[in-house]
PDB file of all heavy atoms in Angstrom:
ATOM      1  N   GLN L  91     -15.911 -17.717   1.859  1.00  0.00           N
ATOM      2  CA  GLN L  91     -16.305 -16.519   2.589  1.00  0.00           C
ATOM      3  C   GLN L  91     -15.160 -15.700   3.119  1.00  0.00           C
ATOM      4  O   GLN L  91     -15.184 -14.478   3.067  1.00  0.00           O
ATOM      5  CB  GLN L  91     -17.348 -16.941   3.743  1.00  0.00           C
ATOM      6  CG  GLN L  91     -18.648 -17.584   3.243  1.00  0.00           C
ATOM      7  CD  GLN L  91     -18.601 -19.017   3.012  1.00  0.00           C
ATOM      8  OE1 GLN L  91     -17.445 -19.654   3.021  1.00  0.00           O
ATOM      9  NE2 GLN L  91     -19.696 -19.579   2.696  1.00  0.00           N
ATOM     10  N   GLU L  92     -14.174 -16.402   3.663  1.00  0.00           N
ATOM     11  CA  GLU L  92     -12.975 -15.713   4.223  1.00  0.00           C
ATOM     12  C   GLU L  92     -12.196 -15.013   3.111  1.00  0.00           C
ATOM     13  O   GLU L  92     -11.740 -13.829   3.234  1.00  0.00           O
ATOM     14  CB  GLU L  92     -12.098 -16.637   4.883  1.00  0.00           C
ATOM     15  CG  GLU L  92     -12.710 -17.156   6.214  1.00  0.00           C
ATOM     16  CD  GLU L  92     -11.968 -18.288   6.900  1.00  0.00           C
ATOM     17  OE1 GLU L  92     -11.362 -19.038   6.104  1.00  0.00           O
ATOM     18  OE2 GLU L  92     -12.070 -18.368   8.157  1.00  0.00           O
ATOM     19  N   ARG L  93     -12.121 -15.640   1.900  1.00  0.00           N
ATOM     20  CA  ARG L  93     -11.379 -15.048   0.817  1.00  0.00           C
ATOM     21  C   ARG L  93     -12.095 -13.903   0.215  1.00  0.00           C
ATOM     22  O   ARG L  93     -11.486 -12.936  -0.148  1.00  0.00           O
ATOM     23  CB  ARG L  93     -11.102 -16.191  -0.261  1.00  0.00           C
ATOM     24  CG  ARG L  93     -10.131 -17.216   0.154  1.00  0.00           C
ATOM     25  CD  ARG L  93      -9.650 -18.071  -1.122  1.00  0.00           C
ATOM     26  NE  ARG L  93     -10.734 -18.730  -1.734  1.00  0.00           N
ATOM     27  CZ  ARG L  93     -11.178 -20.010  -1.291  1.00  0.00           C
ATOM     28  NH1 ARG L  93     -10.560 -20.509  -0.275  1.00  0.00           N
ATOM     29  NH2 ARG L  93     -12.068 -20.584  -2.051  1.00  0.00           N
ATOM     30  N   TYR L  94     -13.387 -14.033   0.162  1.00  0.00           N
ATOM     31  CA  TYR L  94     -14.310 -12.860  -0.240  1.00  0.00           C
ATOM     32  C   TYR L  94     -13.979 -11.650   0.622  1.00  0.00           C
ATOM     33  O   TYR L  94     -13.807 -10.610   0.155  1.00  0.00           O
ATOM     34  CB  TYR L  94     -15.789 -13.262  -0.205  1.00  0.00           C
ATOM     35  CG  TYR L  94     -16.588 -12.065  -0.142  1.00  0.00           C
ATOM     36  CD1 TYR L  94     -16.838 -11.317  -1.304  1.00  0.00           C
ATOM     37  CD2 TYR L  94     -17.238 -11.567   1.143  1.00  0.00           C
ATOM     38  CE1 TYR L  94     -17.630 -10.058  -1.226  1.00  0.00           C
ATOM     39  CE2 TYR L  94     -17.946 -10.426   1.162  1.00  0.00           C
ATOM     40  CZ  TYR L  94     -18.199  -9.712  -0.014  1.00  0.00           C
ATOM     41  OH  TYR L  94     -18.845  -8.525   0.087  1.00  0.00           O
ATOM     42  N   GLU L  95     -13.994 -11.881   1.989  1.00  0.00           N
ATOM     43  CA  GLU L  95     -13.838 -10.729   2.802  1.00  0.00           C
ATOM     44  C   GLU L  95     -12.377 -10.101   2.710  1.00  0.00           C
ATOM     45  O   GLU L  95     -12.314  -8.875   2.831  1.00  0.00           O
ATOM     46  CB  GLU L  95     -14.022 -11.160   4.288  1.00  0.00           C
ATOM     47  CG  GLU L  95     -13.946 -10.077   5.298  1.00  0.00           C
ATOM     48  CD  GLU L  95     -15.018  -8.965   5.282  1.00  0.00           C
ATOM     49  OE1 GLU L  95     -15.784  -8.992   4.319  1.00  0.00           O
ATOM     50  OE2 GLU L  95     -15.047  -8.128   6.184  1.00  0.00           O
ATOM     51  N   ALA L  96     -11.416 -10.873   2.528  1.00  0.00           N
ATOM     52  CA  ALA L  96     -10.089 -10.450   2.313  1.00  0.00           C
ATOM     53  C   ALA L  96     -10.023  -9.639   1.039  1.00  0.00           C
ATOM     54  O   ALA L  96      -9.373  -8.467   1.029  1.00  0.00           O
ATOM     55  CB  ALA L  96      -9.060 -11.538   2.274  1.00  0.00           C
ATOM     56  N   ARG L  97     -10.608 -10.106  -0.006  1.00  0.00           N
ATOM     57  CA  ARG L  97     -10.603  -9.405  -1.280  1.00  0.00           C
ATOM     58  C   ARG L  97     -11.429  -8.196  -1.117  1.00  0.00           C
ATOM     59  O   ARG L  97     -11.068  -7.099  -1.759  1.00  0.00           O
ATOM     60  CB  ARG L  97     -11.186 -10.330  -2.402  1.00  0.00           C
ATOM     61  CG  ARG L  97     -10.142 -11.462  -2.841  1.00  0.00           C
ATOM     62  CD  ARG L  97     -10.697 -12.266  -3.996  1.00  0.00           C
ATOM     63  NE  ARG L  97      -9.786 -13.231  -4.463  1.00  0.00           N
ATOM     64  CZ  ARG L  97      -9.819 -14.593  -4.465  1.00  0.00           C
ATOM     65  NH1 ARG L  97     -10.926 -15.064  -3.869  1.00  0.00           N
ATOM     66  NH2 ARG L  97      -9.015 -15.351  -4.932  1.00  0.00           N
ATOM     67  N   ARG L  98     -12.614  -8.228  -0.506  1.00  0.00           N
ATOM     68  CA  ARG L  98     -13.438  -7.098  -0.361  1.00  0.00           C
ATOM     69  C   ARG L  98     -12.691  -5.931   0.326  1.00  0.00           C
ATOM     70  O   ARG L  98     -12.747  -4.723  -0.220  1.00  0.00           O
ATOM     71  CB  ARG L  98     -14.679  -7.397   0.406  1.00  0.00           C
ATOM     72  CG  ARG L  98     -15.659  -6.201   0.666  1.00  0.00           C
ATOM     73  CD  ARG L  98     -16.665  -6.570   1.626  1.00  0.00           C
ATOM     74  NE  ARG L  98     -16.345  -6.553   2.958  1.00  0.00           N
ATOM     75  CZ  ARG L  98     -16.271  -5.465   3.762  1.00  0.00           C
ATOM     76  NH1 ARG L  98     -16.470  -4.261   3.219  1.00  0.00           N
ATOM     77  NH2 ARG L  98     -15.803  -5.586   5.015  1.00  0.00           N
ATOM     78  N   LEU L  99     -12.069  -6.181   1.351  1.00  0.00           N
ATOM     79  CA  LEU L  99     -11.329  -5.140   2.067  1.00  0.00           C
ATOM     80  C   LEU L  99     -10.049  -4.661   1.346  1.00  0.00           C
ATOM     81  O   LEU L  99      -9.710  -3.456   1.442  1.00  0.00           O
ATOM     82  CB  LEU L  99     -10.913  -5.642   3.468  1.00  0.00           C
ATOM     83  CG  LEU L  99     -12.088  -5.688   4.451  1.00  0.00           C
ATOM     84  CD1 LEU L  99     -11.724  -6.481   5.766  1.00  0.00           C
ATOM     85  CD2 LEU L  99     -12.681  -4.281   4.740  1.00  0.00           C
ATOM     86  N   ALA L 100      -9.417  -5.593   0.524  1.00  0.00           N
ATOM     87  CA  ALA L 100      -8.284  -5.062  -0.248  1.00  0.00           C
ATOM     88  C   ALA L 100      -8.786  -4.049  -1.267  1.00  0.00           C
ATOM     89  O   ALA L 100      -8.140  -3.079  -1.503  1.00  0.00           O
ATOM     90  CB  ALA L 100      -7.595  -6.366  -0.957  1.00  0.00           C
ATOM     91  N   MET L 101      -9.946  -4.362  -1.836  1.00  0.00           N
ATOM     92  CA  MET L 101     -10.481  -3.472  -2.855  1.00  0.00           C
ATOM     93  C   MET L 101     -11.039  -2.202  -2.150  1.00  0.00           C
ATOM     94  O   MET L 101     -10.959  -1.081  -2.723  1.00  0.00           O
ATOM     95  CB  MET L 101     -11.578  -4.160  -3.581  1.00  0.00           C
ATOM     96  CG  MET L 101     -11.129  -5.210  -4.611  1.00  0.00           C
ATOM     97  SD  MET L 101      -9.753  -4.579  -5.759  1.00  0.00           S
ATOM     98  CE  MET L 101     -10.770  -3.338  -6.561  1.00  0.00           C
ATOM     99  N   TRP L 102     -11.515  -2.280  -0.932  1.00  0.00           N
ATOM    100  CA  TRP L 102     -11.951  -1.139  -0.156  1.00  0.00           C
ATOM    101  C   TRP L 102     -10.760  -0.046  -0.086  1.00  0.00           C
ATOM    102  O   TRP L 102     -10.956   1.130  -0.427  1.00  0.00           O
ATOM    103  CB  TRP L 102     -12.373  -1.534   1.205  1.00  0.00           C
ATOM    104  CG  TRP L 102     -12.626  -0.432   2.115  1.00  0.00           C
ATOM    105  CD1 TRP L 102     -11.746   0.436   2.831  1.00  0.00           C
ATOM    106  CD2 TRP L 102     -13.932   0.096   2.627  1.00  0.00           C
ATOM    107  NE1 TRP L 102     -12.304   1.361   3.595  1.00  0.00           N
ATOM    108  CE2 TRP L 102     -13.671   1.122   3.526  1.00  0.00           C
ATOM    109  CE3 TRP L 102     -15.249  -0.287   2.340  1.00  0.00           C
ATOM    110  CZ2 TRP L 102     -14.683   1.865   4.137  1.00  0.00           C
ATOM    111  CZ3 TRP L 102     -16.266   0.407   2.915  1.00  0.00           C
ATOM    112  CH2 TRP L 102     -16.053   1.472   3.780  1.00  0.00           C
ATOM    113  N   PHE L 103      -9.530  -0.540   0.230  1.00  0.00           N
ATOM    114  CA  PHE L 103      -8.496   0.361   0.306  1.00  0.00           C
ATOM    115  C   PHE L 103      -7.927   0.816  -0.983  1.00  0.00           C
ATOM    116  O   PHE L 103      -7.500   2.049  -1.189  1.00  0.00           O
ATOM    117  CB  PHE L 103      -7.360  -0.291   1.183  1.00  0.00           C
ATOM    118  CG  PHE L 103      -7.744  -0.277   2.678  1.00  0.00           C
ATOM    119  CD1 PHE L 103      -8.197  -1.466   3.212  1.00  0.00           C
ATOM    120  CD2 PHE L 103      -7.529   0.815   3.398  1.00  0.00           C
ATOM    121  CE1 PHE L 103      -8.642  -1.547   4.581  1.00  0.00           C
ATOM    122  CE2 PHE L 103      -7.960   0.788   4.767  1.00  0.00           C
ATOM    123  CZ  PHE L 103      -8.474  -0.352   5.352  1.00  0.00           C
ATOM    124  N   ASP L 104      -7.814  -0.058  -2.024  1.00  0.00           N
ATOM    125  CA  ASP L 104      -7.394   0.329  -3.319  1.00  0.00           C
ATOM    126  C   ASP L 104      -8.346   1.217  -4.053  1.00  0.00           C
ATOM    127  O   ASP L 104      -7.981   1.848  -5.071  1.00  0.00           O
ATOM    128  CB  ASP L 104      -7.039  -0.841  -4.169  1.00  0.00           C
ATOM    129  CG  ASP L 104      -5.608  -1.380  -3.791  1.00  0.00           C
ATOM    130  OD1 ASP L 104      -4.870  -0.743  -3.129  1.00  0.00           O
ATOM    131  OD2 ASP L 104      -5.319  -2.560  -4.219  1.00  0.00           O
ATOM    132  N   ASP L 105      -9.628   1.219  -3.690  1.00  0.00           N
ATOM    133  CA  ASP L 105     -10.608   1.912  -4.448  1.00  0.00           C
ATOM    134  C   ASP L 105     -11.172   3.069  -3.504  1.00  0.00           C
ATOM    135  O   ASP L 105     -10.751   4.251  -3.667  1.00  0.00           O
ATOM    136  CB  ASP L 105     -11.858   1.011  -4.756  1.00  0.00           C
ATOM    137  CG  ASP L 105     -12.913   1.706  -5.611  1.00  0.00           C
ATOM    138  OD1 ASP L 105     -12.631   2.876  -6.004  1.00  0.00           O
ATOM    139  OD2 ASP L 105     -14.008   1.105  -5.772  1.00  0.00           O
TER     140      ASP L 105
END
Side-chain angles (χ1 to χ4, degrees):
Q91 293 84 354
E92 291 170 330
R93 290 195 296 275
Y94 159 77
E95 181 66 354
R97 289 182 172 116
R98 180 187 77 83
L99 286 170
M101 291 305 300
W102 172 284
F103 286 98
D104 276 350
D105 183 11

